[in-house]
Amino acid sequence: MFFHEPELQYEVTVEEPDPQFAKELQQAIGGVEGEMRVALQYLFQAWATPKEHEEYRKLLMETGTEELGHIEILATAVTKNLRNATDEEREDAAQDDMMRMMMSGQSPRQILSAGESAMPVDSNGLPFNGNYVVASGNLAADMYANVMAESTGRLLATRLWERTDDPGMKDMLEYLIARDTMHQNQWLAALETLDDPVPVPASFPQEKENQEFNYAFMSTHREEREDPDMPWTQGESVDGHGEF
Amino acid sequence: MFFHEPELQYEVTVEEPDPQFAKELQQAIGGVEGEMRVALQYLFQAWATPKEHEEYRKLLMETGTEELGHIEILATAVTKNLRNATDEEREDAAQDDMMRMMMSGQSPRQILSAGESAMPVDSNGLPFNGNYVVASGNLAADMYANVMAESTGRLLATRLWERTDDPGMKDMLEYLIARDTMHQNQWLAALETLDDPVPVPASFPQEKENQEFNYAFMSTHREEREDPDMPWTQGESVDGHGEF
Amino acid sequence: MFFHEPELQYEVTVEEPDPQFAKELQQAIGGVEGEMRVALQYLFQAWATPKEHEEYRKLLMETGTEELGHIEILATAVTKNLRNATDEEREDAAQDDMMRMMMSGQSPRQILSAGESAMPVDSNGLPFNGNYVVASGNLAADMYANVMAESTGRLLATRLWERTDDPGMKDMLEYLIARDTMHQNQWLAALETLDDPVPVPASFPQEKENQEFNYAFMSTHREEREDPDMPWTQGESVDGHGEF
Amino acid sequence: MFFHEPELQYEVTVEEPDPQFAKELQQAIGGVEGEMRVALQYLFQAWATPKEHEEYRKLLMETGTEELGHIEILATAVTKNLRNATDEEREDAAQDDMMRMMMSGQSPRQILSAGESAMPVDSNGLPFNGNYVVASGNLAADMYANVMAESTGRLLATRLWERTDDPGMKDMLEYLIARDTMHQNQWLAALETLDDPVPVPASFPQEKENQEFNYAFMSTHREEREDPDMPWTQGESVDGHGEF
Amino acid sequence: MFFHEPELQYEVTVEEPDPQFAKELQQAIGGVEGEMRVALQYLFQAWATPKEHEEYRKLLMETGTEELGHIEILATAVTKNLRNATDEEREDAAQDDMMRMMMSGQSPRQILSAGESAMPVDSNGLPFNGNYVVASGNLAADMYANVMAESTGRLLATRLWERTDDPGMKDMLEYLIARDTMHQNQWLAALETLDDPVPVPASFPQEKENQEFNYAFMSTHREEREDPDMPWTQGESVDGHGEF
Amino acid sequence: MFFHEPELQYEVTVEEPDPQFAKELQQAIGGVEGEMRVALQYLFQAWATPKEHEEYRKLLMETGTEELGHIEILATAVTKNLRNATDEEREDAAQDDMMRMMMSGQSPRQILSAGESAMPVDSNGLPFNGNYVVASGNLAADMYANVMAESTGRLLATRLWERTDDPGMKDMLEYLIARDTMHQNQWLAALETLDDPVPVPASFPQEKENQEFNYAFMSTHREEREDPDMPWTQGESVDGHGEF
Ligand SMILES: [Ca+2]
Ligand SMILES: [Ca+2]
Ligand SMILES: [Ca+2]
Ligand SMILES: [Ca+2]
Ligand SMILES: [Ca+2]
Ligand SMILES: [Ca+2]
């Protein structure tokens, strides 16, 4: 059961509204690397976690609930970048046809469909898709999916940080980036509590695997090449169960 | 900012687990008539509502937060219908090849991708789509969208109610149906507080409309027909602004 | 069975071709608020209406057929905005590299895939999606879906009207807006002919609903709040069947 | 501008309603090989055809309008297979739990979302997608797209014909198959009226192509093979412009 | 089984990096007319071709493998247009806010999600969709689908050729256009080896078709028109089996 | 540049053709956990890897090419499960209407659209989607995405292994599971060669993060709870840069 409080988790200020940046922020809301994905991913994973694994369920549940608040932060940022901006620019537009054309890169739906508000879509206007959510029913696979989601998510947030000069937007992104750092660490910490995290799933008896091919690097180069002597062609395997 | 409490908004019990019904319940999670749609729709509408309309913003926000709890209720119901069921049926399956074939209607991804858990998809396995969400930036349009969402949502819930004999499932659906009744009523109540709800949007000056065509029923029957004398071909218009 | 006549339902002229506006008009063709949606929605609803409800079936069928003509009007407008425009601008482009970059906001597929013609996509290039169509098999739910579709449709048309100065385009939109006014009114008139339009569906016996929750506003505010004394927290319900 | 007449283009009768066949018929409505695709494809192609090519525009427009009637025929067939069927089967279901499980292959949305009616989706419940429509702005490319659409469409119709024993359904499909034969022939006839239909587009000067690679079969077999001496590795090219 | 060699099938050079052109090139990678579609289409068709039709299987397999190399060529071109460009332009951007706005037409995901690399999406950022692939299990239908795919593909490539002045890009496109010429010819050559390519499928006995409608042009003009005396309303049908 | 050899990477035999299992195998071809995803993911990552990182580029390229061969193996398995099966069952179907209904769970498109062949879709018939592919332009993020893809991929393969008794199918899956083991290990080995793999991306200076929130677990439980004393609420962080 969920509850809400009107205050944002972290305050959002925009000094120079920028509709183009609003469009780019949408990637962090409804994009494959965005907050809708992680929020729903952690919630669906929590709902799939059986009672016996109570602490993992709580961890997932609390973090999923936190991510709902990140959607709210970003939706606020999008609206602030769109609304104030367009008031001024609408006047300019009357005087200046060139300006109007330059604004052409903006996502038209953000005005036409949403009246200058945030939408559950990505920066190309592609709607959020339920298949972005990974909740596999296997804890180790889910944890790797979560590390990966926070890695691409933090990468996106740092790229957005580089593309704005607005101090309010930079401050907000520094908060979200900090949370991504924490979340990468917490999912890796959870992975370390598992007995045998590689290969996933641990439940399949490895002796049933085809023993000829489970620790051999296969080259598909057209002509045979020498062994390049890399950590994936020689030495002990990372899981400690084989020899490359 | 969101918070969570481990108790469900309404308790879920399943007496006879039924994987086929689990598949049908998915429509109420990730389908176009489902709870993910209304939850996100009300939240995005709330985030687009300016400070001046504080009471509408609160109404949307609180109801959106309630709907998040409905996803949780239904996810629990799906898992309970899948997990217990398949234990027994898996044994049967060993004895009985026919049974296995009969189970073929089940969504394979619910086992293969989700390990017998709920997913953010509909009853055909189609992923939830951000374009199901309507948040137009216009309050009247949004309220009609909400009445419509709760109408198709309650219709879906009553159809599900007819398709199960499980007392636990019927009880859960009677709760969700009751909430849909309330929600239909509350959005209609909100519409009644608006000055001029028809036609939407009120902001466009009706004298700019083409006056020849705004209150005339146009027949596209191949041969001309007599006026059928219906409430949409004769008499005063519903908005009170014209004569059909 | 359908027939066609080469004349448009309403004549389309474009004085200053504008490829950026062509892109925005696509929202009214293939977007979630557009004419393909309403045309197909009314036709599929008509095909689902049983013989006993002949007058509703006719109403839906005739309006659906009218909407097919609106797609044709808009497709003509898109082509006129693209074709003439690009002839001139192509010359400019040779002289003026800057102009070419400024045109960058245009949807590239409109040239690359469609040779400067209309497409069954929205203003972001997202293809029309059959799930935009609501045809629920329940007349009241369908009528609410239709009021909502015409509300977001008229909202879109008035936003497009604000974004163009072309007299031909304004004139065409004033026609389409007028038709949306009529259609909102006719679906509301049809709703008024139904015995008990709220809650939808009427067929479910309300005494089966959970009686504790069907007329109670549920707050999900984190801390308990006072009753805000709004029309949805106090007084008689809109359907006249309960007390909030 | 479109008109409608209540009579179907071809009468539809169903002797033994069959919900499973209703699901399969959906492929011919909203599937990639279906009637929604060809109807919209021919209409969008017509709207893109300039005045100078009046006869092609008429041909496309009239056939597109005909295809709208095919959607209507199939929607009628789906409803007749669902409605009557489920009445009987619903009684059986009460008596017979096994029957209920066997019905599990049916698309649940056809009941849950559509109240036993036709939908703009394919046989897996996947919604119709605007990107199925090809309208390239080039007449020859469009004609090849149309021959291809009618080829996969007729293939689908003959496969449906093989999967039903119902005389009414077979009769309806024999009508639709006949129309596909005509349509394949008419698009090929239109291709024959074009000056230089291969390679498409004729507008690109072939001397600008890379002359070393435009009539040479390139083997990507890992080891070199002998020339297999096939019509695509030796002899004159089909367009008469080169030598393989 | 596939193999790879680091050399490109055809060398790619870019003299003036152009991020807008990179975006347009994406249509040729992940668009409905692009190389991912033909590569996967020919491979899936090959895998569906039975042993008895060995030479067709080889033809499809070798061409599908060639098309994988075309994706690689275009991905290289996209990266070269993005990477070098943005280095310079990033500096400019610092000095020149106007430039930054003008770049707004660029697909934001190409930076945000992909770090200035190629993606499996089209020029609007729409992801590649498996339903673009036609592999029908019928050789004639597949060959028509292939002629059509190469027709819209060559049309796209020639339109891209017209939109760039970069000699390296023009040279690359002249290579790809040449291959499309060859592929159109080879699929038509394969069609000519089939006994009875029209109507598709040949396996359905034409005497079962409705004989009244299989060679008659049906007008859907609202008022009856005179026979326009065109090759599709009079004379022998293209398949030689009927008379219009 | 790619090459092909007719032999499969690993031989495929099917003793008892099973159309239901064919449908499930589709998840491993076109599903989010499937071989199309990893093949395209590794290839697009390779094409984005700059020359300086040659050994990573080779590793990605060779493995991507190997995965193309896995699609081929599974497409062969699908066809073998469909073709032989349906011959027999078609006869049975004539005798036995019940059998026909039981087959209803099969994906109808596999017959209707593909003539009993493999398709680029998942087990629900949902088409493959280019957004499944992660190629972020950051090596560490990509490696985590690859570990995750192989984890969910191996999980899927082991679940398929549990659902079949066919010795040929079990043998094929044991080969594919072995390769997934190797691939999980090789991506983890590649991660170990990176200087500072956590947090991703390493390029963002951590001192710019909000220092108050980057190593703190945030509870969103409604009522405050005691610190549960878990590895993610206390102790050193996994990246060694902070203290929880
Ligand atoms: Ca976050
Ligand atoms: Ca609800
Ligand atoms: Ca309209
Ligand atoms: Ca047809
Ligand atoms: Ca090619
Ligand atoms: Ca693999």
Side-chain angles (χ1 to χ4, degrees):
Chain A
M1 182 167 24
F2 294 85
F3 297 88
H4 185 261
E5 184 163 286
E7 283 69 41
L8 291 175
Q9 219 170 68
Y10 193 82
E11 210 47 56
V12 173
T13 59
V14 174
E15 299 199 3
E16 296 173 66
D18 177 352
Q20 169 67 17
F21 194 61
K23 174 180 161 178
E24 298 183 12
L25 283 171
Q26 283 288 156
Q27 191 65 26
I29 295 178
V32 68
E33 307 89 355
E35 305 287 355
M36 289 180 70
R37 185 242 189 109
V38 284
L40 291 164
Q41 180 157 309
Y42 304 157
L43 296 178
F44 275 92
Q45 288 179 4
W47 294 326
T49 305
K51 287 272 151 62
E52 307 87 90
H53 300 302
E54 191 62 16
E55 276 310 322
Y56 297 110
R57 185 183 178 112
K58 276 184 191 162
L59 170 61
L60 288 162
M61 200 73 227
E62 298 214 62
T63 310
T65 305
E66 182 193 349
E67 303 288 13
L68 291 172
H70 293 185
I71 308 175
E72 193 175 34
I73 287 171
L74 284 158
T76 306
V78 165
T79 305
K80 289 197 174 186
N81 273 291
L82 283 172
R83 293 241 171 119
N84 304 349
T86 41
D87 286 352
E88 274 175 50
E89 272 149 22
R90 208 176 283 144
E91 281 173 39
D92 288 357
Q95 307 161 337
D96 189 350
D97 215 61
M98 201 144 200
M99 199 54 139
R100 183 179 161 291
M101 287 192 75
M102 272 182 275
M103 283 194 56
S104 65
Q106 200 182 336
S107 170
R109 285 198 67 207
Q110 217 123 16
I111 293 174
L112 298 177
S113 300
E116 301 165 314
S117 310
M119 303 176 76
V121 306
D122 77 6
S123 59
N124 281 322
L126 192 77
F128 177 79
N129 184 302
N131 267 6
Y132 296 165
V133 170
V134 177
S136 70
N138 176 289
L139 199 52
D142 283 0
M143 289 303 119
Y144 277 121
N146 297 355
V147 174
M148 173 274 205
E150 295 287 345
S151 298
T152 52
R154 192 171 180 274
L155 184 59
L156 169 63
T158 62
R159 285 169 175 169
L160 288 167
W161 186 92
E162 282 164 21
R163 287 172 74 78
T164 182
D165 294 324
D166 189 279
M169 287 295 90
K170 274 192 154 2
D171 184 54
M172 174 192 80
L173 289 163
E174 286 156 13
Y175 173 77
L176 294 172
I177 291 167
R179 297 310 298 150
D180 292 344
T181 298
M182 174 60 195
H183 293 161
Q184 286 184 32
N185 275 283
Q186 79 184 36
W187 305 130
L188 286 167
L191 264 173
E192 289 185 354
T193 66
L194 301 181
D195 281 344
D196 213 358
V198 188
V200 177
S203 58
F204 188 80
Q206 276 200 265
E207 67 274 14
K208 292 249 162 86
E209 293 181 349
N210 185 316
Q211 302 297 316
E212 196 180 340
F213 295 103
N214 54 355
Y215 291 100
F217 183 76
M218 278 175 67
S219 176
T220 52
H221 202 268
R222 192 195 191 188
E223 323 289 341
E224 244 172 282
R225 293 199 300 159
E226 262 183 88
D227 182 332
D229 194 10
M230 298 296 293
W232 44 84
T233 60
Q234 298 208 345
E236 203 198 4
S237 69
V238 178
D239 63 12
H241 305 176
E243 193 77 30
F244 289 134
Chain B
M1 182 166 24
F2 294 84
F3 297 89
H4 185 261
E5 185 164 282
E7 282 70 41
L8 290 176
Q9 219 171 66
Y10 193 82
E11 210 45 58
V12 173
T13 59
V14 174
E15 299 199 3
E16 295 173 66
D18 176 353
Q20 169 67 18
F21 194 60
K23 174 180 161 179
E24 299 184 11
L25 284 172
Q26 282 288 155
Q27 191 64 27
I29 295 178
V32 69
E33 308 90 354
E35 304 289 354
M36 288 180 71
R37 184 242 188 111
V38 284
L40 290 165
Q41 180 157 308
Y42 304 157
L43 296 178
F44 275 92
Q45 288 178 5
W47 294 325
T49 304
K51 287 272 150 63
E52 308 88 88
H53 300 303
E54 189 62 18
E55 275 311 322
Y56 296 111
R57 186 182 177 110
K58 276 183 190 160
L59 171 61
L60 287 162
M61 199 74 226
E62 300 215 62
T63 311
T65 305
E66 182 192 348
E67 303 289 12
L68 290 172
H70 293 185
I71 309 175
E72 191 176 35
I73 288 171
L74 284 159
T76 307
V78 165
T79 305
K80 288 199 175 185
N81 273 290
L82 283 171
R83 294 242 170 116
N84 305 349
T86 39
D87 287 352
E88 273 176 49
E89 273 149 23
R90 206 176 284 145
E91 281 174 37
D92 287 358
Q95 309 162 335
D96 187 351
D97 214 61
M98 202 144 200
M99 200 52 136
R100 185 178 159 290
M101 289 192 74
M102 272 182 274
M103 282 196 58
S104 66
Q106 201 183 334
S107 171
R109 285 199 67 207
Q110 217 122 19
I111 294 174
L112 298 177
S113 301
E116 300 164 317
S117 309
M119 302 175 77
V121 305
D122 78 5
S123 59
N124 279 324
L126 192 77
F128 177 77
N129 184 302
N131 267 6
Y132 295 166
V133 170
V134 177
S136 69
N138 176 287
L139 199 53
D142 282 0
M143 289 303 119
Y144 277 121
N146 297 354
V147 174
M148 174 274 207
E150 294 287 345
S151 297
T152 51
R154 192 172 179 272
L155 185 59
L156 169 64
T158 63
R159 285 171 174 165
L160 288 167
W161 186 91
E162 281 164 21
R163 287 172 74 79
T164 181
D165 293 324
D166 189 281
M169 286 296 92
K170 274 189 153 9
D171 184 53
M172 174 193 78
L173 289 163
E174 285 156 15
Y175 173 77
L176 293 172
I177 291 167
R179 296 313 296 153
D180 292 343
T181 298
M182 175 60 195
H183 292 161
Q184 287 185 32
N185 275 282
Q186 78 184 39
W187 305 131
L188 286 166
L191 265 172
E192 288 185 356
T193 65
L194 301 181
D195 282 344
D196 215 359
V198 188
V200 177
S203 57
F204 188 79
Q206 276 201 266
E207 66 275 12
K208 291 248 162 88
E209 292 181 350
N210 186 315
Q211 300 297 316
E212 199 178 337
F213 295 103
N214 55 355
Y215 291 101
F217 183 77
M218 278 175 67
S219 175
T220 51
H221 202 267
R222 191 196 191 187
E223 323 288 342
E224 244 173 281
R225 292 198 302 158
E226 261 184 88
D227 181 334
D229 195 9
M230 299 297 291
W232 45 83
T233 61
Q234 298 211 343
E236 206 198 0
S237 69
V238 177
D239 63 13
H241 305 178
E243 192 79 28
F244 288 133
Chain C
M1 182 168 21
F2 294 85
F3 297 89
H4 186 262
E5 186 164 283
E7 281 69 43
L8 291 175
Q9 219 171 69
Y10 193 81
E11 208 47 57
V12 173
T13 59
V14 174
E15 297 199 4
E16 296 174 66
D18 176 353
Q20 169 68 16
F21 194 61
K23 174 179 162 179
E24 298 183 12
L25 283 171
Q26 283 289 156
Q27 191 64 27
I29 294 178
V32 69
E33 308 89 354
E35 304 289 353
M36 288 181 70
R37 185 242 189 112
V38 284
L40 290 165
Q41 180 157 307
Y42 304 158
L43 296 179
F44 275 92
Q45 287 179 4
W47 294 325
T49 305
K51 285 275 149 62
E52 306 88 89
H53 300 304
E54 189 63 15
E55 276 310 322
Y56 297 110
R57 185 182 177 111
K58 276 183 192 161
L59 171 61
L60 288 161
M61 199 75 227
E62 299 214 61
T63 309
T65 305
E66 183 192 348
E67 303 289 13
L68 291 172
H70 293 185
I71 309 174
E72 192 177 33
I73 286 171
L74 284 158
T76 307
V78 166
T79 305
K80 288 197 174 185
N81 272 290
L82 283 173
R83 294 239 171 119
N84 304 349
T86 41
D87 286 352
E88 274 175 48
E89 274 149 21
R90 208 175 284 145
E91 282 172 37
D92 288 358
Q95 307 162 337
D96 189 350
D97 215 62
M98 201 146 201
M99 198 54 136
R100 184 177 160 288
M101 288 192 75
M102 272 183 275
M103 282 195 57
S104 66
Q106 200 184 334
S107 169
R109 283 198 68 208
Q110 217 122 20
I111 292 174
L112 298 178
S113 300
E116 300 165 315
S117 310
M119 303 177 76
V121 305
D122 77 5
S123 59
N124 280 324
L126 191 76
F128 177 79
N129 184 302
N131 266 7
Y132 296 166
V133 170
V134 177
S136 70
N138 176 287
L139 198 53
D142 282 359
M143 289 302 119
Y144 276 120
N146 296 354
V147 174
M148 174 275 206
E150 295 287 345
S151 297
T152 50
R154 193 172 178 272
L155 186 59
L156 169 64
T158 64
R159 284 169 175 167
L160 288 167
W161 186 91
E162 281 164 21
R163 286 174 73 79
T164 182
D165 294 323
D166 189 280
M169 287 295 90
K170 274 190 153 6
D171 184 55
M172 175 192 79
L173 289 164
E174 285 156 15
Y175 173 78
L176 293 172
I177 291 166
R179 297 311 298 152
D180 291 344
T181 299
M182 175 60 197
H183 292 161
Q184 286 185 32
N185 274 283
Q186 80 184 35
W187 306 130
L188 286 166
L191 264 172
E192 288 185 355
T193 65
L194 300 181
D195 281 343
D196 214 0
V198 189
V200 177
S203 57
F204 187 79
Q206 277 201 263
E207 67 274 12
K208 295 247 162 86
E209 293 179 348
N210 186 316
Q211 302 296 316
E212 198 179 337
F213 295 103
N214 54 355
Y215 291 99
F217 183 78
M218 279 175 67
S219 176
T220 52
H221 201 268
R222 192 194 191 187
E223 323 287 341
E224 242 173 283
R225 293 196 302 158
E226 261 184 89
D227 181 334
D229 195 11
M230 298 297 293
W232 45 83
T233 60
Q234 297 211 345
E236 204 198 0
S237 70
V238 178
D239 64 11
H241 306 176
E243 193 79 29
F244 289 134
Chain D
M1 184 167 22
F2 294 86
F3 297 89
H4 185 260
E5 185 164 283
E7 281 70 41
L8 291 175
Q9 219 172 66
Y10 193 82
E11 209 46 57
V12 172
T13 59
V14 174
E15 298 199 4
E16 294 173 67
D18 176 354
Q20 169 67 18
F21 194 60
K23 174 180 162 179
E24 298 183 11
L25 283 172
Q26 282 289 155
Q27 191 64 28
I29 294 179
V32 69
E33 308 89 354
E35 305 288 353
M36 289 181 70
R37 185 244 188 110
V38 284
L40 290 164
Q41 180 157 307
Y42 304 158
L43 295 178
F44 275 91
Q45 288 178 4
W47 294 326
T49 305
K51 286 273 149 64
E52 307 88 90
H53 299 304
E54 191 61 18
E55 276 308 323
Y56 296 111
R57 187 182 176 111
K58 276 184 192 161
L59 171 61
L60 288 161
M61 199 74 226
E62 299 214 62
T63 310
T65 305
E66 182 192 349
E67 303 288 13
L68 291 171
H70 293 185
I71 309 175
E72 192 176 34
I73 286 171
L74 284 159
T76 307
V78 165
T79 306
K80 288 197 176 185
N81 272 291
L82 284 171
R83 294 242 170 116
N84 304 349
T86 40
D87 286 353
E88 272 174 51
E89 273 149 21
R90 207 176 283 145
E91 282 173 37
D92 288 359
Q95 308 161 337
D96 189 351
D97 216 62
M98 201 146 199
M99 198 55 136
R100 183 179 160 289
M101 288 193 74
M102 271 183 274
M103 281 194 58
S104 66
Q106 200 184 333
S107 169
R109 285 198 66 209
Q110 216 123 19
I111 293 174
L112 298 176
S113 300
E116 299 165 317
S117 309
M119 303 177 76
V121 305
D122 78 4
S123 57
N124 279 324
L126 192 77
F128 177 78
N129 183 303
N131 266 6
Y132 296 166
V133 170
V134 177
S136 69
N138 176 288
L139 199 52
D142 283 359
M143 288 305 119
Y144 277 120
N146 297 355
V147 172
M148 174 274 208
E150 295 287 345
S151 296
T152 51
R154 192 172 179 271
L155 185 59
L156 170 63
T158 63
R159 284 171 175 165
L160 288 167
W161 186 91
E162 280 164 23
R163 285 173 74 79
T164 182
D165 294 324
D166 189 281
M169 287 295 90
K170 274 191 155 3
D171 184 54
M172 176 192 78
L173 288 164
E174 286 157 14
Y175 173 78
L176 293 171
I177 292 166
R179 297 311 298 153
D180 292 344
T181 298
M182 175 60 197
H183 292 161
Q184 285 185 33
N185 275 283
Q186 79 184 37
W187 305 130
L188 286 167
L191 264 173
E192 289 186 354
T193 65
L194 301 180
D195 280 345
D196 214 359
V198 187
V200 177
S203 58
F204 188 78
Q206 278 201 263
E207 67 274 14
K208 294 247 163 86
E209 293 180 350
N210 186 316
Q211 302 296 317
E212 198 179 339
F213 295 103
N214 55 354
Y215 292 100
F217 184 78
M218 279 174 66
S219 177
T220 52
H221 202 268
R222 192 196 191 186
E223 323 288 342
E224 244 174 280
R225 292 199 300 159
E226 261 184 90
D227 181 333
D229 194 10
M230 298 296 292
W232 44 83
T233 59
Q234 299 211 343
E236 204 198 2
S237 70
V238 177
D239 64 12
H241 305 177
E243 193 79 26
F244 288 133
Chain E
M1 182 166 22
F2 294 85
F3 297 88
H4 184 263
E5 182 165 288
E7 283 69 41
L8 291 176
Q9 218 172 67
Y10 193 82
E11 208 46 56
V12 173
T13 60
V14 174
E15 299 200 1
E16 296 174 65
D18 176 353
Q20 170 67 18
F21 194 61
K23 175 180 161 179
E24 298 184 11
L25 283 172
Q26 283 287 156
Q27 191 64 27
I29 295 178
V32 68
E33 309 89 354
E35 304 289 354
M36 288 180 70
R37 185 242 189 108
V38 284
L40 290 164
Q41 181 156 307
Y42 304 156
L43 296 179
F44 275 92
Q45 287 178 4
W47 293 326
T49 304
K51 287 272 152 61
E52 306 87 271
H53 300 302
E54 189 63 16
E55 274 311 320
Y56 297 110
R57 186 183 179 113
K58 276 184 193 162
L59 170 63
L60 288 162
M61 201 73 227
E62 299 213 62
T63 310
T65 305
E66 182 192 349
E67 303 289 14
L68 291 172
H70 293 184
I71 308 176
E72 191 176 35
I73 286 171
L74 284 158
T76 306
V78 165
T79 305
K80 289 197 174 185
N81 273 290
L82 283 172
R83 295 242 169 116
N84 304 349
T86 41
D87 286 352
E88 276 174 48
E89 272 148 22
R90 209 176 282 144
E91 282 173 36
D92 288 357
Q95 309 160 334
D96 188 350
D97 215 60
M98 202 146 200
M99 199 54 137
R100 183 178 161 289
M101 288 193 75
M102 272 182 277
M103 282 195 56
S104 67
Q106 200 183 335
S107 170
R109 286 197 67 208
Q110 217 124 18
I111 293 173
L112 298 176
S113 301
E116 301 165 313
S117 310
M119 303 176 76
V121 306
D122 77 6
S123 58
N124 280 323
L126 191 78
F128 178 78
N129 183 303
N131 266 5
Y132 296 166
V133 170
V134 177
S136 70
N138 175 287
L139 198 54
D142 282 0
M143 289 303 119
Y144 277 121
N146 296 356
V147 173
M148 173 275 205
E150 295 287 346
S151 298
T152 52
R154 193 170 178 274
L155 185 58
L156 171 63
T158 63
R159 284 170 174 166
L160 288 167
W161 186 90
E162 281 165 21
R163 287 172 74 79
T164 183
D165 293 324
D166 190 281
M169 287 294 91
K170 274 191 157 0
D171 184 54
M172 173 192 80
L173 288 163
E174 285 157 16
Y175 174 76
L176 293 171
I177 291 167
R179 296 312 297 151
D180 292 344
T181 298
M182 175 58 196
H183 292 162
Q184 286 186 32
N185 274 284
Q186 81 185 36
W187 306 130
L188 285 166
L191 265 172
E192 287 185 356
T193 64
L194 301 180
D195 280 344
D196 213 359
V198 189
V200 177
S203 58
F204 187 79
Q206 276 200 264
E207 67 275 12
K208 292 246 163 89
E209 293 180 348
N210 186 317
Q211 301 296 317
E212 200 179 336
F213 295 103
N214 55 354
Y215 291 100
F217 182 76
M218 278 175 67
S219 176
T220 53
H221 202 267
R222 192 196 191 187
E223 323 288 342
E224 243 173 282
R225 293 198 301 159
E226 260 184 90
D227 181 333
D229 195 9
M230 298 296 293
W232 45 84
T233 62
Q234 298 210 343
E236 206 198 359
S237 69
V238 178
D239 64 10
H241 306 177
E243 192 79 27
F244 289 133
Chain F
M1 183 165 24
F2 294 85
F3 297 88
H4 185 262
E5 183 164 285
E7 282 69 41
L8 290 175
Q9 218 170 68
Y10 193 83
E11 209 46 58
V12 173
T13 60
V14 175
E15 299 200 1
E16 294 173 67
D18 175 353
Q20 170 66 18
F21 195 61
K23 174 180 162 179
E24 299 183 10
L25 283 172
Q26 283 288 156
Q27 192 64 28
I29 295 178
V32 69
E33 307 90 355
E35 304 289 355
M36 288 180 70
R37 184 242 189 109
V38 284
L40 290 164
Q41 180 157 308
Y42 304 157
L43 296 178
F44 275 92
Q45 288 179 4
W47 294 325
T49 304
K51 287 272 150 62
E52 308 87 88
H53 300 303
E54 190 62 17
E55 274 311 322
Y56 297 111
R57 186 182 177 111
K58 275 185 192 160
L59 170 62
L60 288 161
M61 199 74 227
E62 299 213 62
T63 310
T65 304
E66 181 191 350
E67 302 289 13
L68 291 171
H70 294 185
I71 309 175
E72 191 176 35
I73 287 171
L74 284 158
T76 306
V78 166
T79 305
K80 288 198 175 184
N81 273 290
L82 283 171
R83 294 241 170 117
N84 305 349
T86 39
D87 286 351
E88 272 174 50
E89 272 150 22
R90 207 176 283 144
E91 280 172 40
D92 286 358
Q95 308 161 335
D96 188 351
D97 214 61
M98 203 144 200
M99 199 52 137
R100 182 180 162 288
M101 289 192 74
M102 272 182 274
M103 281 194 57
S104 67
Q106 200 185 335
S107 171
R109 285 198 68 208
Q110 218 123 18
I111 293 174
L112 297 177
S113 300
E116 300 164 316
S117 309
M119 302 177 76
V121 305
D122 78 4
S123 60
N124 279 322
L126 192 76
F128 177 79
N129 184 303
N131 267 6
Y132 296 165
V133 170
V134 176
S136 70
N138 175 288
L139 199 54
D142 283 359
M143 288 304 120
Y144 276 121
N146 297 355
V147 173
M148 174 274 207
E150 295 288 345
S151 297
T152 52
R154 191 170 180 273
L155 185 58
L156 170 63
T158 62
R159 285 171 175 166
L160 287 167
W161 186 90
E162 281 165 21
R163 286 173 74 78
T164 182
D165 294 324
D166 190 280
M169 287 294 91
K170 274 190 155 2
D171 183 55
M172 173 192 79
L173 289 163
E174 285 156 14
Y175 173 78
L176 293 171
I177 292 166
R179 297 311 298 152
D180 292 343
T181 298
M182 174 60 195
H183 292 160
Q184 287 185 33
N185 275 283
Q186 79 185 36
W187 306 130
L188 286 166
L191 265 172
E192 289 185 354
T193 65
L194 301 181
D195 280 345
D196 212 359
V198 188
V200 177
S203 57
F204 187 79
Q206 277 200 264
E207 67 274 13
K208 292 247 162 85
E209 292 181 349
N210 187 315
Q211 302 295 318
E212 198 179 337
F213 295 104
N214 54 355
Y215 291 100
F217 183 76
M218 280 174 65
S219 176
T220 53
H221 202 267
R222 192 195 191 187
E223 323 289 342
E224 243 172 282
R225 292 197 301 159
E226 262 183 89
D227 181 332
D229 194 11
M230 298 296 293
W232 44 85
T233 62
Q234 298 210 345
E236 206 199 359
S237 69
V238 177
D239 62 14
H241 306 177
E243 191 80 25
F244 289 133

